[in-house]
Amino acid sequence: GLQRDRRDGCGVTRVGIGYDSHRFAPGRRLILGGQEIPHVLGLAGHSDADAVAHALTDAILGAAAAGNIGELFPDTDPQWKDADSMALLRTAAALVEGRGFRIVQADITVITEAPKLAAFLPAVATTLETALGLPHRSIGVKAKTNEGMGFIGRGEGLAVIAVATVEACRSNRSSAGSPRFPPWRCTLFSPSWPPSRTSFLPCPLTLPWHSARSSRIAG
Ligand code: MG
């Protein structure tokens, strides 16, 4: 319960913000929050140009003061060319959780004149929640136009703003200082993932705090 959470050092909420923009381009897919959205134009970028995933990644990293997406996955590095940005998001989430934070919720606004996104937003939210292992209604996704103004108004590109909250939980770290991971996150790391990060392995068999606190939120 709440008393135990306090003793464990939980309950300190931190907020992060993320912003991303990408230029529309022909011959590219439009992928937002892991969902391919039918449109005559896609988004240009080194990766799959998923601006929703990128903004949310930066919000989560920012909440933990854990750097930013450009540092973790530099667009000068060929290994991130056409990268699946949802995999980058999950990797960033694992990094943040490894530092003793639990991702609580996020709110995202996509700003674009076209296409109309309303029909796709529930699927985008669910995909993001699933990727992060969060309960339903943890992530809000909204769409706005820019009232015809500026680069967005001219249809040159779109922008995304995301905020995320994380909760600091000292108990997320073992007494030895090695982070605990939900088992499903551990499969994200290949042996070749940056050597400095290999201390995240191996994964624990159980995650006592996550299921308990998730059910508290859901309830
Ligand atoms: Mg981007």
Side-chain angles (χ1 to χ4, degrees), residues 196-214:
S196 62
R197 314 289 190 200
T198 54
S199 58
F200 292 138
L201 299 172
C203 301
L205 294 175
T206 59
L207 189 72
W209 54 273
H210 191 270
S211 55
R213 297 182 61 80
S214 296

Side-chain angles (χ1 to χ4, degrees), residues 19-22 47 49-51 54-55 69:
Y19 170 85
D20 196 30
S21 60
H22 279 265
S47 65
D50 185 337
H54 294 176
I69 191 171

Side-chain angles (χ1 to χ4, degrees), residues 15-19 54-63 67 160-165:
V15 179
I17 187 167
Y19 170 85
H54 294 176
L56 181 56
T57 298
D58 260 356
I60 289 168
L61 291 171
V160 180
I161 300 168
V163 291
T165 56

